[in-house]
Amino acid sequence: MEILISVVIALLTSCGVYLLLRGRTFPIILGLTLLTYAVNVFIFMSGRLNPGASTIIGVGERYTDPLPQALVLTAIVISFAMTAFVLVLALRARAELGNDHVDGRNSVEEVKS
Amino acid sequence: MNHLIIAPVLIPLVTGILLLLGTGRPPRVQRAISFISISAQLVAAIYLLSVAAGGDMLVYALGNWAPPFGIVLVLDRLSALMVTITASLAFFSLWYAVRDNDKPTDSLHSVVHFLLMGINGAFLTGDLFNLFVFFEVLLIASYTLLLHGGGAARIKSGLHYVLLNLVGSSLFLIAAALLYGLTGTLNMADMAVKVAATSPEQAPLMKAAALILLVVFGLKAAMVPLYFWLPRAYAAAAAPVAAMFCIMTKIGIYAIIRMYSLVFGDEAGVVANVATPWLWPLALITLALGATGALAARELRLQIAYLVIVSVGTMLAGVAMHSTAALSATLYYLMHSTWVCAALFLLADIIMRQRGATSDRIITGPRVKQPVVLGTLFFIGSAAVIGMPPLSGFLGKVMLMRSTVTDEQTFWLWFLLLASSLIMVTALSRSGSTIFWRTESRTTKASKTDKLALSAVMALFATSLVLSFAASPVVQYTNALAEQIMQPSIYIDAVLNHQTIEGVHHD
């Protein structure tokens, strides 16, 4: 289970970083989204892997740390809002600059080079 | 009066909501609310400063949940000073803005107050995850402010700024989660105790977390190699926004001082002073590259943005030296550079408007309308930012140079600080002489600048004179501040021994 989770986090992170390094806004936003998924799972794991346990003391025999769950909720909300913001900004940049390159290249030749 | 510690967070929050509800009201109303609010914040900040000056630590447990379980706000000398600098900077920026420099008015004022809420919260909080949340509050406000007014240049630099900071936020979360996983706490004082007891097996992970945090704060502070977003973004921003943003890099520096003295400081055991070997060379490279950029800049606002980077390098070098004297000098320099750089951004805006289509490019253009006033102000501002006596930049740099300890420190800091000053003299005298002396005989149709707007710039420059002529009390305060920071046990004891009010939670 531990290995599965760490492989998932590693895969999400590496795909996210690869997409972040692209030159166009759309893949970058996808990359950011993947990266935030990886981060969210990572925060969740900071409370240790404890399957089947409840977050309330006294309900079952074992209990799991509730704090990372609260933290990950905050992180999800914030990253969701930020992704929405950056999407609108990317669309606006596409309209203002005439293309979706992050540096706002002016012509087709420049984009190719 | 204990509740007053949360005023710097609550006042801007309420004002921001009020202004948001008042969208569509005449600008006069919006400006009045905004200006009254910032005046109230300034008064509250100065009161808090006077409380903190006595040396007491004020700990405020939100919701009366006892630390280390609940979130605490902590007022020490450092956070009180930072809150006061923020309030005064916002006061002068808004003073300039309300003189018709805030078009479109509706979207500027409310967002400025949300930004202030985030900044003040970041300075006051004693909880690592809460620091992240306040960072996000101030970041999303800063994204909107940076784009204020629209236009291709702002969108382009804004996109870089937003994307980089989103990656920075992800890194912050990774570091916070790592630290929580290792220490089981997010309260900074409690974390300091737990980090000090790190076992050698956990040291590599702890080191990784500490250095990931340094990347995040370095991005905020614009440290090499994470500063490339800054010059274009600041140069493209609207003038009151650019002036307000002079505090943004200082938030990164504040966070570095706080985390790497309190949590990863001298007493952190296996991870003691983990950031210092990185900070020192990076600070010096930042200093050198900033000065080079200022020399190469072909627009006045871009040049001033590079001067901000020079000041970042200078302050980080002071932090890296990690001594009471160096920290005191750094804080003195921080006050000076925040106010003077903000004044220069506002002055550049005035010059730009009076030159019409030539804008702020450093080329021969039409004469400005008020060459004597603006020229004098530009001269004073340049002298202050370069560090010429009798202005505050000079004192700050001398104190920093005197606080070096080893020969190696002395050689590199003296060499780079003096060389960068020389480069700044060259760069600023070139732009000054081009803009004010090598002009065409015509002037543009631009009207003269509003007297009150101009007085905001003058008042900001006057702070430089005040800082140097009232240097004795100011340095006394920064000395006491540095001593407090160098003894993290004061902070830790104050937070962990905090007594909550009895009889509030019944269970």
Side-chain angles (χ1 to χ4, degrees), chain A residues 25 89-107 111, chain B residues 151-160:
Chain A
T25 48
L89 180 62
L91 284 174
R92 182 75 188 277
R94 168 76 184 74
E96 286 276 337
L97 308 170
N99 60 67
D100 63 348
H101 199 279
V102 268
D103 286 333
R105 300 290 165 82
N106 297 321
S107 62
V111 177
Chain B
R154 280 177 194 150
I155 297 267
K156 205 160 125 178
S157 58
L159 195 62
H160 293 177

Side-chain angles (χ1 to χ4, degrees), chain A residues 78-94:
Chain A
I78 289 177
S79 63
F80 188 69
M82 292 297 177
T83 311
F85 183 86
V86 78
L87 260 177
V88 174
L89 180 62
L91 284 174
R92 182 75 188 277
R94 168 76 184 74

Side-chain angles (χ1 to χ4, degrees), chain A residues 58-88:
Chain A
V59 172
E61 280 181 11
R62 296 174 302 136
Y63 65 92
T64 180
D65 191 349
L67 196 68
Q69 311 196 4
L71 299 184
V72 84
L73 211 60
T74 317
I76 289 171
V77 173
I78 289 177
S79 63
F80 188 69
M82 292 297 177
T83 311
F85 183 86
V86 78
L87 260 177
V88 174

Side-chain angles (χ1 to χ4, degrees), chain B residues 266-339:
Chain B
D266 292 329
E267 284 142 34
V270 280
V271 284
N273 297 327
V274 60
T276 317
W278 293 92
L279 269 181
W280 176 249
L282 289 177
L284 294 180
I285 300 171
T286 313
L287 185 60
L289 286 182
T292 319
L295 193 63
R298 283 186 289 184
E299 286 137 40
L300 187 56
R301 288 185 299 171
L302 195 62
Q303 192 168 53
I304 300 167
Y306 275 108
L307 297 180
V308 171
I309 292 177
V310 173
S311 76
V312 167
T314 314
M315 284 181 281
L316 284 175
V319 176
M321 283 192 280
H322 197 66
S323 67
T324 313
L327 197 59
S328 167
T330 307
L331 265 301
Y332 182 89
Y333 191 81
L334 190 150
M335 283 185 255
H336 145 81
S337 91
T338 311
W339 288 323

Side-chain angles (χ1 to χ4, degrees), chain B residues 29-68:
Chain B
V29 181
Q30 298 239 351
R31 288 169 184 165
I33 295 176
S34 174
F35 201 68
I36 291 169
S37 160
I38 190 60
S39 309
Q41 274 175 64
L42 189 60
V43 173
I46 291 172
Y47 174 77
L48 289 177
L49 187 72
S50 71
V51 171
D56 292 337
M57 286 270 185
L58 272 190
V59 180
Y60 185 79
L62 290 168
N64 203 33
W65 296 104

